[in-house]
Structure formats: structure tokens, C-alpha cells
Amino acid sequence: MSSVEFSEFYRSSKDRCLRAVVGTGMRPEEAEEALAEAFARAWSRWAKVRTLEAPEAWVVRTAVNANISWWRKRRRESPAAVPTDATSTGEDHRADLVAALRLLPPRQREVVVLRYLLDLDTAQTAARLGIAPGTVASQLHRALATLRSHLHQPERSH
């Protein structure tokens, strides 16, 4: 696997891919996050992706799919997990979520990131962290309870 080859692919295609992903209807910041995930996946599969007829199309499609997966997960979550103040913006909710994530112990934060942001399943998360699948489940359960608690109390004193 050639890191030089991948670096050149990244430099020459990132702006075009970003325009394509934004063109699918994503907000620019969502598109950037999804595209970062897609390029990370492309790097990890570069031996295969480089042989495709249109590797840029693969990256764009992967970014769109990553965004759809994130959206579906959010939609399936309990409404109680997300603040419902109609006057708040999406950015307010995102800032609240990031602040709540920072309050989690490191292991719980790692589990949440791997499961929800990187879309790994329980077994993959356990393998990545070197812990048992049951530990992943218990850490995730505790983390989500903590996040719900913090997100339902917007006027918390720290």
C-alpha cells in the first residue's frame, strides 16, 4: 500500500469530493465530517479502492452512506435522548452533546465514539479496545444514561 499514492489521491480529489457530497444536500460541516470518515475508510482499504474504475465515486458514496447511517441511528434513538426545546438550534444541541461527551470517563467516551461515530458493532468495538463485548455493552449503557441525564438538565452547574 503506497501512502504517497493515497496522499496524492487525497490532495487531488478532496475538493471535488466535498463539492459532490455537499451537492447531495448535506450541510458543509456534515459533508466534511462524512468525507473525513470516507477517506479514512478509503485509506484502510486502499489496496482495493485504488483498483476501482472511479475511486472518487467510491469515496463520495461512502461519505453519503456514512451520513445516512448516522441519521438513521439518531432517528432510532429514544426521543428522550435528545433535548426538545423548540427554540434551540441544531448547533446548540451539538454543542450540548460535545460538552456532555467530555464529561464521560475515557472508556465510556471511547465506546460511544466507536459505536456511534465510527459505526462499529459491539464485537468490533470490543476487539478495538481489547475488552469483552459485555464490557462494551455495560459501558455504553452507563454512557448513554449519563448523556441523557446531562442533556435533560441544560442549566447544570459545573
Side-chain angles (χ1 to χ4, degrees):
M1 172 170 10
S2 169
S3 62
V4 173
E5 183 183 19
F6 180 80
S7 295
E8 180 55 37
F9 168 73
Y10 175 77
R11 274 192 301 280
S12 68
S13 63
K14 68 179 178 169
D15 293 336
R16 202 169 29 255
C17 289
L18 180 60
R19 283 191 299 273
V21 173
V22 169
T24 67
M26 277 187 236
R27 293 189 326 233
E29 58 272 8
E30 291 173 339
E32 288 175 359
E33 290 177 17
L35 198 56
E37 172 66 24
F39 273 114
R41 290 180 187 183
W43 167 246
S44 70
R45 297 168 178 85
W46 185 240
K48 178 183 179 227
V49 172
R50 68 188 285 271
T51 65
L52 297 174
E53 188 173 322
E56 285 182 358
W58 185 94
V59 169
V60 169
R61 186 70 215 156
T62 301
V64 170
N65 288 344
N67 186 264
I68 290 169
S69 293
W70 177 85
W71 179 81
R72 284 180 179 157
K73 280 182 189 174
R74 295 281 300 169
R75 193 169 163 226
R76 283 192 306 256
E77 287 180 357
S78 165
V82 178
T84 57
D85 180 5
T87 63
S88 295
T89 66
E91 286 74 25
D92 291 339
H93 294 310
R94 191 168 293 135
D96 291 344
L97 179 59
V98 169
L101 279 169
R102 288 186 179 135
L103 296 173
L104 294 176
R107 179 56 52 127
Q108 289 180 14
R109 191 174 332 123
E110 290 170 338
V111 168
V112 169
V113 167
L114 291 174
R115 290 285 286 124
Y116 290 106
L117 300 181
L118 295 181
D119 203 21
L120 300 182
D121 63 24
T122 300
Q124 292 168 323
T125 301
R128 181 78 47 97
L129 295 176
I131 59 178
T135 304
V136 170
S138 68
Q139 292 293 308
L140 185 60
H141 177 76
R142 289 182 190 132
L144 293 177
T146 300
L147 290 173
R148 285 184 186 106
S149 170
H150 286 287
L151 293 174
H152 281 290
Q153 299 174 12
E155 299 292 327
R156 294 184 62 86
S157 57
H158 298 282

